[in-house]
């Protein structure tokens, strides 16, 4: 286990370094300067601004300073909000985005599994067709389109849900639905297919032959094996949800990281763009690692490392 963890951490470090390097290259190769809007006829003031943000240094020096800021987790001040550091923006926005992401993945996993189980148990029945229709619609409709539809129906026409901000559990309903529908559909389809396969296995037939109650056969014997692919895909879905919150946060006026990230791109605020990218990349890489470990723990047949060439 220790060898596996060390190997994975090395791979994670290399992956993060590649992301960091590509992000830096993309930033410095874009035409113009993030200080274009602050251009002034006073050359001394302009030079001081460039020196303050290390924009007057050669690219390799900027890159080394960038790596240092990542190692020390100090991303420096925002260019467009000089009184705010990137760390302050992360500390203020990430908890909100994380809360939305966690609530969304919980809703998506629970509803998707329940929908998939009922579809499998009622195979080729009305419930199965209805569940798969919902799943197809959930996959087909982009979350930003669904978000707009939800606002139009529940906020504008019916007036029963608030359209924006993030101040109470009620404000979480529409953003969560908009983000959770797609992952829920994927999980439902995956659960249905794996559950149908598991239910034909000999050990399930044996459990039924022993007279076990149907719900006990499903929960105790079938569900655990049917959920293994769901565990595998959860890390990818979590990555999609957390990055997908950027657009949804803009639509619903949620003060999460999406607000700062989108604004930083529009304003070419290098420190915020690079700090946010690195932070989210590190977080998502760590989540994928934890999912891999959980997968190995749930299924004892999966070995985290090889012995003797096996």
């Amino acid at each position: 286990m220790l060898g596996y963890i060390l190997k994975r951490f090395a791979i994670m470090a290399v992956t993060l370094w590649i992301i960091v390097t590509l992000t830096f290259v993309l930033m410095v190769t874009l035409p113009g300067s993030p200080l274009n809007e602050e251009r002034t006829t006073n050359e001394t003031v302009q030079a001081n601004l460039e020196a303050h943000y290390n924009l007057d240094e050669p690219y390799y020096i900027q890159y080394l300073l960038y790596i240092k800021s990542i190692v020390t987790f100090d991303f420096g001040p925002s260019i467009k909000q000089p009184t705010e550091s990137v760390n302050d923006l992360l500390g203020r926005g990430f908890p909100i985005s994380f809360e939305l992401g966690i609530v969304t993945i919980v809703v998506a996993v629970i509803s998707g599994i329940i929908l998939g189980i009922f579809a499998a148990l009622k195979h080729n029945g009305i419930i199965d067709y209805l569940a798969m229709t919902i799943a197809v619609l959930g996959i087909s409709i982009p979350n930003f389109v669904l978000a707009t539809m939800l606002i139009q129906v529940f906020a504008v026409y019916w007036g029963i849900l608030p359209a924006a901000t993030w101040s109470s559990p009620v404000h979480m309903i529409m953003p969560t639905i908009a983000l959770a529908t797609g992952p829920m559909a994927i999980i439902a389809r995956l659960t249905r297919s794996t559950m149908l396969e598991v239910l034909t296995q000999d050990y399930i037939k044996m459990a039924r032959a022993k007279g076990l109650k149907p719900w006990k056969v499903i929960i105790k014997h079938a569900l655990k094996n049917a959920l293994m692919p769901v565990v595998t895909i959860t890390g990818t879905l979590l990555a999609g949800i957390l990055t997908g919150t950027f657009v949804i946060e803009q639509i619903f006026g949620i003060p999460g990281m999406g607000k700062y990230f989108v604004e930083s791109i529009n304003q070419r605020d290098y420190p915020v763009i690079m700090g946010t990218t690195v932070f989210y990349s590190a977080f998502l890489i760590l989540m994928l690692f934890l999912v891999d470990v959980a997968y190995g723990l749930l299924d004892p047949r999966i070995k985290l490392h090889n012995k003797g060439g096996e």
Side-chain angles (χ1 to χ4, degrees), residues 202-220:
D202 291 338
Y203 67 90
I204 297 296
K205 297 177 181 178
M206 180 66 70
R208 287 172 172 170
K210 289 181 179 179
L212 293 179
K213 295 180 179 180
W215 65 268
K216 187 172 289 187
V217 173
I218 298 299
I219 295 177
K220 188 175 180 180

Side-chain angles (χ1 to χ4, degrees), residues 26-282:
L26 288 174
M27 289 300 97
V28 298
T29 53
L30 288 175
S33 166
L35 295 176
N36 280 345
E37 294 181 4
E38 285 75 18
R39 287 283 177 192
T40 175
T41 55
N42 191 320
E43 295 183 358
T44 303
V45 173
Q46 185 68 29
N48 288 338
L49 282 172
E50 292 181 353
H52 179 69
Y53 294 107
N54 300 312
L55 297 176
D56 59 338
E57 300 286 354
Y59 286 150
Y60 74 92
I61 297 294
Q62 293 184 39
Y63 178 73
L64 293 176
L65 292 173
Y66 175 39
I67 296 295
K68 178 184 177 182
S69 70
I70 295 171
V71 174
T72 59
F73 200 69
D74 181 8
F75 298 111
S78 166
I79 293 178
K80 300 302 178 179
Q81 303 179 61
T83 59
E84 298 272 11
S85 70
V86 178
N87 292 44
D88 292 336
L89 299 180
L90 288 171
R92 188 163 58 245
F94 178 72
I96 296 175
S97 297
F98 182 74
E99 181 182 6
L100 176 58
I102 291 299
V103 171
T104 298
I105 195 66
V106 170
V107 171
V109 169
I110 293 176
S111 58
I113 289 174
I114 293 174
L115 199 63
I117 290 174
F118 277 106
L121 294 178
K122 303 297 181 180
H123 183 47
N124 289 332
I126 296 177
I127 296 179
D128 185 18
Y129 293 137
L130 180 61
M132 289 304 98
T133 299
I134 295 174
V136 170
L137 290 175
I139 295 174
S140 303
I141 302 176
N143 57 25
F144 59 88
V145 174
L146 180 59
T148 305
M149 295 169 59
L150 291 172
I151 292 174
Q152 190 70 23
V153 173
F154 292 101
V156 178
Y157 287 164
W158 294 347
I160 59 176
L161 291 175
T165 72
W166 186 262
S167 57
S168 70
V170 178
H171 291 84
M172 300 173 64
I173 296 176
M174 288 198 292
T176 300
I177 293 174
L179 280 171
T181 302
M184 178 207 69
I186 295 173
I187 292 172
R189 291 173 62 88
L190 188 59
T191 302
R192 174 184 177 272
S193 61
T194 53
M195 181 65 78
L196 287 174
E197 181 181 353
V198 168
L199 290 176
T200 62
Q201 299 298 313
D202 291 338
Y203 67 90
I204 297 296
K205 297 177 181 178
M206 180 66 70
R208 287 172 172 170
K210 289 181 179 179
L212 293 179
K213 295 180 179 180
W215 65 268
K216 187 172 289 187
V217 173
I218 298 299
I219 295 177
K220 188 175 180 180
H221 296 280
L223 190 57
K224 180 179 178 180
N225 291 318
L227 291 184
M228 295 306 298
V230 175
V231 174
T232 306
I233 201 174
T234 300
T236 305
L237 291 179
L238 180 60
I241 288 173
L242 286 176
T243 52
T245 59
F246 289 176
V247 177
I248 297 300
E249 285 173 12
Q250 287 291 102
I251 293 175
F252 288 100
I254 299 172
M257 279 311 303
K259 171 186 176 182
Y260 303 118
F261 187 70
V262 173
E263 289 179 353
S264 67
I265 293 176
N266 292 332
Q267 299 171 349
R268 296 191 59 180
D269 194 338
Y270 287 178
V272 177
I273 294 174
M274 293 190 289
T276 305
T277 302
V278 171
F279 181 81
Y280 266 90
S281 299

